[in-house]
Amino acid sequence: HARDDVAPDLRTPLARTRARAELALRPGTSAEDMREALADGLEETDQVLAMLRSLMEIGEAEAGVVRLVREEIDLSAIAVEVRDTYDYVAEDKGLRIVTDSEGPARVSADRTRIRQAVANLVDNAIKYSHPGGVVEIVTRRFPDRAEISVRHTGIGIPPEEHERIFARLYRVGPSPSCP
């Protein structure tokens, strides 16, 4: 079931938080190292909470009760927010996240859902990129629309899998692992 697919994604940040807390509690750990462990724990907790919110939203979508809140938003600002959120995770893996924008790219959309979609793309780009790679969030303005996209130097999705990627919680089959 869908919730089973997410269990490993929840276990990883929780395990990292626990390991950092255990290290911080060792005798002789400096106050600075303890503060850093707490800050890391907060970031990991935020990731777990975001995943749990996503699970709840999937349940709402399945039940047909999703509510969209449309407002004027700037895709360029969302790109910066997502970059700042994932910068630490990318840096931990030896990656860089950059944004490329020509200025504000305004659209009428649900801010939370758009941000979530971009964050999911960036999260996947980080997972499937090799150290030394780059994840780029690009926004563009056009007379009749604005676009946001995520590019990366990772392994990508094989063409034969493209039609299936929009299936709920679909994952591409075995592929070369990225360290």
Side-chain angles (χ1 to χ4, degrees):
H1 195 261
R3 285 153 186 84
D4 297 334
D5 293 339
V6 180
D9 292 332
L10 290 171
R11 271 194 296 269
T12 300
L14 291 172
R16 274 195 303 253
T17 299
R18 180 173 176 78
R20 286 182 181 139
E22 287 174 350
L23 286 173
L25 290 174
R26 286 185 176 171
T29 303
S30 71
E32 183 179 330
D33 287 343
M34 286 184 185
R35 274 192 291 280
E36 187 175 326
L38 281 171
D40 290 347
L42 287 173
E43 287 182 30
E44 298 283 0
T45 302
D46 286 344
Q47 287 181 11
V48 169
L49 289 172
M51 285 184 236
L52 290 172
R53 273 192 300 276
S54 294
L55 283 175
M56 292 171 58
E57 289 169 358
I58 288 169
E60 289 175 356
E62 288 174 341
V65 293
V66 173
R67 286 173 232 95
L68 297 178
V69 179
R70 291 179 74 101
E71 60 183 307
E72 185 172 308
I73 62 172
D74 178 9
L75 295 177
S76 298
I78 288 177
V80 170
E81 287 174 25
V82 172
R83 180 201 63 207
D84 291 348
T85 299
Y86 281 89
D87 203 34
Y88 177 79
V89 177
E91 185 179 304
D92 219 26
K93 191 168 176 191
L95 302 169
R96 286 185 315 119
I97 299 181
V98 297
T99 55
D100 179 3
S101 172
E102 298 168 340
R106 299 193 194 295
V107 295
S108 175
D110 185 303
R111 176 179 193 57
T112 302
R113 303 287 187 234
I114 295 293
R115 189 184 185 291
Q116 181 180 32
V118 174
N120 287 343
L121 292 170
V122 168
D123 187 61
N124 282 335
I126 291 169
K127 284 179 187 172
Y128 297 105
S129 291
H130 296 285
V134 176
V135 175
E136 184 177 24
I137 310 169
V138 180
T139 56
R140 293 288 178 256
R141 297 178 293 181
F142 298 94
D144 60 335
R145 70 186 189 286
E147 295 178 357
I148 189 165
S149 61
V150 176
R151 295 188 276 210
H152 64 96
T153 54
I155 59 177
I157 299 171
E160 62 271 13
E161 302 281 346
H162 286 183
E163 289 183 20
R164 301 172 67 194
I165 63 172
F166 293 104
R168 183 175 60 87
L169 293 177
Y170 174 75
R171 290 181 189 224
V172 174
S175 60
S177 64
C178 291

